[in-house]
Amino acid sequence: MPTRYHAPTRKTVSGERALPLPKWPWEALKRFRAQQAREKLAAGSGYTDTGYVVVDELGLALNTRHLREHAYRLMEELGLRRVRLYDARHSCLTYLAVNGVPDIVLAAWAGHTNANFTKRKYVHVAPEDMRAAAAAWDTFHGGDPKAGV
């Protein structure tokens, strides 16, 4: 089973980039593709096959306002704190960086060509992210390596 999603982007010559996906979003995309197939069948000739992933029931691409409004409705329905979607991008890239993903891979994942830009604009290290550094210093000074974690 392939685990790549080809995202349309203008950042590459081919217009696409391949992203390996973890299992859960891959499974969600497969379910969404099946839903789109049902919607296409129901709409008949009224369906527009745009090639985009995130589309409405007639195949038309959703804009960022549509996505944002849908996400905010879901957050409210699920009783979640309302956060900006763009903040989630920062959080995801920070999580990957703190967990050892190389800078060049972070940039590619974000669709950037400059790793320094990605780190400067998207990676925000929080105090709890620095616990491993404190534990490393404890080890260096002869302490228990697990004490600061």
Side-chain angles (χ1 to χ4, degrees), residues 6-128:
H6 291 279
T9 178
R10 291 185 175 87
K11 296 188 186 300
T12 63
V13 176
S14 69
E16 293 184 352
R17 61 189 167 106
L19 294 174
L21 292 177
K23 184 177 181 175
W24 66 267
W26 180 250
E27 294 299 325
L29 280 171
K30 287 194 313 187
R31 287 190 305 275
F32 189 59
R33 183 61 80 191
Q35 176 184 330
Q36 287 175 328
R38 291 188 299 274
E39 291 171 346
K40 183 177 182 176
L41 187 62
S45 62
Y47 192 89
T48 304
D49 214 345
T50 61
Y52 286 101
V53 174
V54 183
V55 297
D56 67 11
E57 63 279 356
L58 297 176
L60 301 174
L62 299 179
N63 64 35
T64 55
R65 182 182 55 82
H66 294 127
L67 295 172
R68 189 172 47 250
E69 289 171 357
H70 180 71
Y72 290 160
R73 272 194 308 275
L74 280 176
M75 288 175 205
E76 187 173 333
E77 288 172 17
L78 296 171
L80 300 174
R81 182 173 58 97
R82 184 172 168 163
V83 295
R84 295 181 319 155
L85 295 181
Y86 207 70
D87 292 335
R89 179 174 168 90
H90 287 251
S91 296
C92 291
L93 290 168
T94 297
Y95 175 83
L96 294 173
V98 168
N99 284 282
V101 173
D103 297 351
I104 193 76
V105 175
L106 285 177
W109 189 268
H112 299 155
T113 56
N114 184 315
N116 289 329
F117 171 82
T118 305
K119 283 189 72 172
R120 187 174 64 252
K121 294 293 184 181
Y122 288 91
V123 177
H124 312 287
V125 179
E128 63 269 13

Side-chain angles (χ1 to χ4, degrees), residues 130-146:
M130 294 187 277
R131 288 196 180 129
W137 277 117
D138 282 340
T139 302
F140 178 77
H141 291 285
D144 180 2
K146 298 190 186 285

